[in-house]
Structure formats: C-alpha cells, structure tokens
Amino acid sequence: MDHSPLTVDYLGCAGRATLPRAGAPVDYASVPFAALPARSVPESPNYLRQWTKAGKHPNVRPAHPGDRAHLALGGTLTGVLDDALAERITATLRSGRYADLAELPGDLVGCLVTDDRVFLFRSLFTRDTLFYKQSGHTLAWSSDPADLIPDGLDRLDRETIWRICRGDSIFAYPELGMLRPGHLLVFDGVSAEVVQYDRITPKPLPRGSTARDYAERAWELLLAATRPYAHNGHIGLLLSGGMDSSAVAAALVANGADVTAYHLATDDPLADESEYAREVCRYLSIPFVPIMTDTGAGHVNEGWRFSHPYNHTGFRWLEQIVQRVHQDGVELLTWGRDGDLLFSPAPDYGVCDVLQGRLSWSEKRLMLRGLLCSRWTLTDLLKSVRRSYSLAIDASAFGDYTRHPDFLVPMPGVRFELPNPEFVPEEQTTDLALAWPHGVQFCSPMADRALYELMTGMPRAYRCISYGGRNINKPVLRLMLEDRLPPMIWRRHGRLWLGSPHENFCLNHPQALAGLLGPDSLLAGLNIVDPAQVVAVLGHPLSTRRHAQSLICTAMTELFLRSLESRTAHPVRS
C-alpha cells in the first residue's frame, strides 16, 4: 500500500532562454504565485521562475539540481521532490530517454534549462499545461499565456474572439504553442521539436467479462488512485451530488481520508441538487458545507481580470468555493472531473458499438432490443451502424454550422467544434485567477492511468445501455456504486435545469450586461457585438433566457479584453 503524501506546492513556471547560452547565467527564482497584473515578466534574457504557494518558503527544493541545469515544475507530485528525483528528471531529459518521463510519480508539467537545450514536458493526466513561442534563437514559455502576449489587443484573432462569445470552448491565442498531454518540446536554439512520449494503452479485462466485472475492477483502481489523498491531512471535495463526485467521496472515505464536502447550493428549485449531496454526506458520515451561490449583481464583476476568457457561467460560484476552502485552511480540492471521460458514451456512440463489441451474442440481442425501444428512431439507429453517425450527439443542435446569438455581428460559415478535453479554458483561468492566488490546488483522483487503461479497453457498449425505454448512461459507474452509496444517487435519472439560476441573473440584472456590452465596449469596437441587439435581447424575457449562457460568456470575454487593455501600452478605446 502506497502511503506517500501528495505535494501540491509547485503551481507552475515561466521562463525564457536564448541558445546557445555560452555561459550566460540563468536568473532563477522560486517565488509565490501572484495573479496578473501584480506579476511582471523579468527583463533578463535567460530567466526561470518556479511559482509556489503564497506563504511557502521561497527556496522550495530543488532550485537547481546542478549548476548547469535549472528545473521547475507544476502540478501534483506523489511523494517529495528531493535532489534524487530532480537529478533523475534531468538525466532522463538529457539522455533522450523520454519514455521514462511516464514513470514520474505524479501529474506534472515542467521545464529544464541547460546550456544547449530547453525541455518542456506535460504528463498524460495533468490538467496543467505550458504555453510557448519561439522567436529566432529564443524560446519563451509560461503556465500563463498572458505572459507571452504583452500586446494582445493589437494581435487578436477576431474570429476566435467571436467564437468564444458564441460559447465555443477554445484557446484565445492561436499564435502560441501549447503542450498536449504526454508530449514534450525540445528546443536547441534553432528549432523546436515536439515529441509524444506517453499514451494510453487500453487494457481490457479478459473476453467474457461483464459490465459488473468492469465495475468491480474500476472500484479497486479508484481506491488505489485516491489512497495518496488519505495522507494529506484535511482535504476538500467539490460535491455536486452527481455520480462522479459521489464516487470520489466514497473512495476517499473508504481510504480513511479527512474530507469535507463543499456543495454549491441554490435557492432555485429547478437547479437544486443539495438533496443528493446531503444524502451522500449523511451516508458516508462526512461534513457537508453548502455554499449559497450568488446570482445577484456580483455574478458578473467588472473588477475581474483574466489571462484567458472564462468561457462559462459559473466563475462567481467558483470564487465563492475557493474563498471558503481557503478560509477553512484547505489547500487540496478534489472533484469528479474525469468521470464523464471515463464512463460516459463516446461522442460517436452508436449501434456499431454493440455490433462490434467484445460481447456475448445474448448481450448483443438484449442491447439491440433496448435500442429499438429507445427514443431514437429506426432511421437514426440504422445510420449509427456506421461510425460516422452518432446517437450521443444531437446533430440537429449543431449541424455543420451553429446559429449565432442574435446580439453578435453575423460571421457566416464559422464551424462549431466540440470541446477539446486536452485543454479546458475555464479550468486554466480558474487556476490563474482564483485557485493559485489563494494557495488552492484542484486535483482529479479519477485522472489515473490504470483507470483510463481499463475504461478505454472496456467495450464501448457498456458506456450506455438502453433498457425499458430509457437510455442508462454510465451503467458501469452505477454498478460500481450499487452497494456503496444510497440508491437515490446511483438510480438517478434525468437532469435538473442547471442553467436556470444563470437565466434568472440575466433577467434580474439586464443593466449589468447592457453596461458591459454597450457601444463603448471593446467587443463593440471590434465589431463583434451589436449593442442595439443586446438591448433588444435583454428587452424580451424569452429571448433573454434563450441567450443567457452566451450573454454571460460574452460579458466575461469583454472582461478578458479589458484585462489585455490594462496591460498594453496602446489602449484601443475610442
């Protein structure tokens, strides 16, 4: 049994190097992380900054494992970062044995600066990444993309910003490179080579294994994945009341973790999940801390500043969570982030998954019969025999092009793309603007190699089973929780109207949105928002409800542009 604690003191890093260095020193410092605009980029031609939590000793080891190599990390480490581990990372990169990085004990990003090369790497299961850009013989990188775009307003991609306002979950800085999971970059002063050093290898159970077999094995692996968290003192859990976060809660308690559940509560009966979250905590005997979500005027705050657009509606709620856990002295906040990726139907789910799956003929007959009794038409089912047609994605909702919100200036032909799980903009923004400045680290125990290997090898048909006229999503997760949580949790079917509180905010505070998106807004100046149409949308309740999410996303994008304006020497306001 692994009793190693987790180390979450290393938040991220930033640096710049011109190669070859020819003996030029590296300006290295280990400093507490500060959100922009309090943080400035050093003027040194060669520098490296290791960002740590506020209140930690600035000389967190190892500052540099050798005089000629400088290392910085970010993410979650299982164990401690001592000289031996630093030297191991350094030797692995210098020798070109990149595949050995997959054996590092944790979910990490990092950089190593030597005399003749710079290495950037990102492990397969961390949500953190590094952004970079090359200019001649110089490479600059950072966990915060805003460090690399000092004149961002002058170089905006209008289509990208328009898409973010529409609701697309995409990166705002197309000119920057971004490390993908399981990849590293090697820069030698001339070129930057990107290498994949790690990938998921599916490891299914033996042929003939059932969905229940996968459920029991998944539980064993979740227990192993959460075990290190049990040795980290008091930790927090962001508990929605859904199956993913509830499964993490059950596994943490089974390992004896000292955990407190934090729940985003609402007085809107259409979106209230507190009954489920409270029952989980009662069943597991863990403290339940409901935090009443703010849908007042402060739901969108003109004082917020972002390094990247927060393309979601709940920034204020996460701000409340982070402030409360920080007040309670909690540094590690877990959640069920990877549950959908592990257990939900794949985006291209269809009849082909049943026909081609490693299933018995009796299982296939039952599943096909269930599909015939489901909400899908026979035409849809027949189309999904081919992998190119999906039952999981409502094609009518997307089509080849997505209808733009009424208040955006039309931009015909801009395609809609599904979110990329390798980079979630709102998660990165949450870290930079909220969590890291408060010394809080979000961690996903389900982001575990063995769990991913098992679930990617599992028959895809086990991710959704149609039975009795219902489509039962995450059946393996439901089986896993059958004897470990109350039936009201794992039998839960259907969804609440989680967007209702945000719609009510837009209905009750139209002046806040009209002020942000008016004629003097940066988005209006870029000809992305039509202020007259904003007023028209806000003037009709049904239209306001229909556009609520995109209204808030657009308002948050305006705040992002104002963040850029505050850092540029040439404001664009007329």
Side-chain angles (χ1 to χ4, degrees):
M1 181 180 295
D2 185 4
H3 291 284
S4 300
L6 295 176
T7 299
V8 290
D9 295 336
Y10 305 97
L11 300 181
C13 57
R16 179 173 57 228
T18 300
L19 298 180
R21 280 171 45 207
V26 173
D27 175 12
Y28 177 93
S30 180
V31 298
F33 176 79
L36 290 171
R39 189 178 70 252
S40 60
V41 175
E43 297 182 357
S44 309
N46 297 284
Y47 80 89
L48 183 58
R49 292 292 179 267
Q50 169 69 71
W51 295 333
T52 64
K53 290 183 179 180
K56 299 292 181 179
H57 193 280
N59 294 317
V60 177
R61 291 199 327 161
H64 37 77
D67 292 337
R68 313 294 291 183
H70 302 260
L71 177 68
L73 297 175
T76 306
L77 180 69
T78 305
V80 295
L81 183 57
D82 54 17
D83 290 340
L85 179 56
E87 290 169 4
R88 172 184 161 191
I89 296 173
T90 303
T92 296
L93 291 169
R94 278 179 156 169
S95 64
R97 302 192 308 270
Y98 303 140
D100 291 351
L101 291 173
E103 304 302 320
L104 291 180
D107 298 325
L108 300 167
V109 296
C111 59
L112 179 74
V113 181
T114 69
D115 281 344
D116 57 353
R117 285 175 295 176
V118 173
F119 302 89
L120 312 179
F121 64 91
R122 177 185 179 185
S123 71
L124 201 56
F125 300 103
T126 180
R127 81 183 210 163
D128 301 322
T129 190
L130 287 175
F131 307 92
Y132 59 88
K133 69 174 181 180
Q134 179 185 353
S135 178
H137 301 293
T138 300
L139 183 75
W141 64 94
S142 179
S143 299
D144 186 342
D147 286 342
L148 309 176
I149 308 290
D151 53 350
L153 274 177
D154 298 330
R155 297 154 68 178
L156 284 176
D157 183 318
R158 179 174 176 269
E159 179 179 314
T160 298
I161 299 302
W162 187 93
R163 290 180 59 197
I164 291 170
C165 292
R166 179 177 68 177
D168 295 19
S169 184
I170 57 175
F171 185 42
Y173 304 102
E175 65 183 280
L176 297 184
M178 178 174 60
L179 275 185
R180 297 179 56 202
H183 285 68
L184 66 85
L185 177 142
V186 185
F187 176 66
D188 61 5
V190 177
S191 61
E193 179 187 11
V194 177
V195 179
Q196 183 174 6
Y197 69 86
D198 194 12
R199 55 172 51 87
I200 298 171
T201 302
K203 294 183 179 179
L205 295 177
R207 183 178 291 275
S209 299
T210 65
R212 187 172 294 279
D213 294 327
Y214 277 96
E216 290 306 312
R217 180 57 179 154
W219 174 250
E220 294 172 2
L221 296 177
L222 183 58
L223 282 178
T226 53
R227 197 161 291 133
Y229 294 82
H231 307 288
N232 265 71
H234 189 199
I235 63 174
L237 168 68
L238 188 54
L239 180 67
S240 67
M243 288 189 295
D244 302 330
S245 56
S246 298
V248 172
L252 288 170
V253 170
N255 278 311
D258 177 13
V259 57
T260 294
Y262 295 89
H263 175 70
L264 288 167
T266 175
D267 56 5
D268 188 333
L270 298 175
D272 183 15
E273 293 185 286
S274 61
E275 178 185 3
Y276 299 98
R278 194 182 303 274
E279 180 63 14
V280 169
C281 293
R282 185 202 63 77
Y283 189 87
L284 299 175
S285 299
I286 59 177
F288 174 68
V289 180
I291 298 174
M292 186 57 64
T293 52
D294 179 7
T295 53
H299 192 64
V300 174
N301 188 329
E302 294 194 32
W304 288 335
R305 291 294 177 262
F306 306 122
S307 296
H308 192 284
Y310 184 87
N311 197 31
H312 201 267
T313 54
F315 186 83
R316 171 56 182 150
W317 296 0
L318 283 174
E319 182 178 53
Q320 290 180 269
I321 284 283
V322 169
Q323 289 172 344
R324 176 57 190 268
V325 300
H326 175 67
Q327 174 186 323
D328 292 349
V330 172
E331 296 183 349
L332 188 61
L333 188 60
T334 60
W335 57 336
R337 176 196 186 270
D338 288 66
D340 285 339
L341 296 175
L342 287 166
F343 298 101
S344 287
D348 55 354
Y349 171 79
V351 171
C352 55
D353 291 317
V354 177
L355 297 177
Q356 299 171 12
R358 297 168 68 246
L359 310 170
S360 67
W361 282 109
S362 60
E363 279 186 307
K364 291 184 178 182
R365 283 196 299 271
L366 287 172
M367 289 187 179
L368 291 173
R369 184 183 304 168
L371 285 168
L372 288 171
C373 298
S374 69
R375 63 179 173 85
W376 290 306
T377 65
L378 181 59
T379 301
D380 288 335
L381 294 174
L382 291 175
K383 288 180 180 179
S384 74
V385 170
R386 301 181 63 181
R387 181 69 67 194
S388 58
Y389 186 87
S390 172
L391 295 175
I393 298 176
D394 185 358
S396 65
F398 300 125
D400 292 332
Y401 304 94
T402 298
R403 176 185 176 186
H404 69 270
D406 293 346
F407 59 87
L408 294 184
V409 175
M411 190 175 287
V414 179
R415 289 187 176 274
F416 178 85
E417 297 178 14
L418 290 173
N420 180 2
E422 294 183 353
F423 174 74
V424 183
E426 56 264 30
E427 291 182 0
Q428 187 243 2
T429 304
T430 298
D431 284 341
L432 294 170
L434 289 179
W436 291 2
H438 284 86
V440 174
Q441 188 84 301
F442 279 84
C443 294
S444 175
M446 284 186 172
D448 174 75
R449 178 183 298 276
L451 260 176
Y452 267 93
E453 289 176 343
L454 175 73
M455 301 312 291
T456 54
M458 180 183 72
R460 289 160 52 108
Y462 286 163
R463 292 174 173 266
C464 180
I465 295 176
S466 296
Y467 179 79
R470 288 182 174 180
N471 297 321
I472 303 174
N473 287 329
K474 304 183 181 180
V476 169
L477 184 57
R478 293 175 190 271
L479 287 171
M480 187 177 85
L481 300 178
E482 185 178 19
D483 298 324
R484 299 179 176 98
L485 284 174
M488 68 177 293
I489 305 302
W490 56 267
R491 284 181 177 168
R492 183 175 175 182
H493 182 74
R495 292 178 178 270
L496 297 172
W497 190 356
L498 298 180
S500 180
H502 309 300
E503 294 177 14
N504 289 332
F505 164 75
C506 293
L507 287 170
N508 296 329
H509 300 278
Q511 69 282 357
L513 295 168
L516 277 171
L517 303 178
D520 294 331
S521 67
L522 294 173
L523 285 169
L526 292 168
N527 197 31
I528 292 175
V529 163
D530 182 340
Q533 285 299 312
V534 170
V535 173
V537 166
L538 293 172
H540 295 83
L542 288 178
S543 182
T544 301
R545 282 194 179 276
R546 183 168 67 86
H547 290 88
Q549 180 169 336
S550 52
L551 278 167
I552 295 177
C553 286
T554 304
M556 300 295 276
T557 305
E558 171 69 18
L559 295 179
F560 160 69
L561 296 180
R562 295 184 185 187
S563 300
L564 292 184
E565 184 187 46
S566 68
R567 298 196 302 271
T568 184
H570 306 289
V572 299
R573 288 183 185 271
S574 57

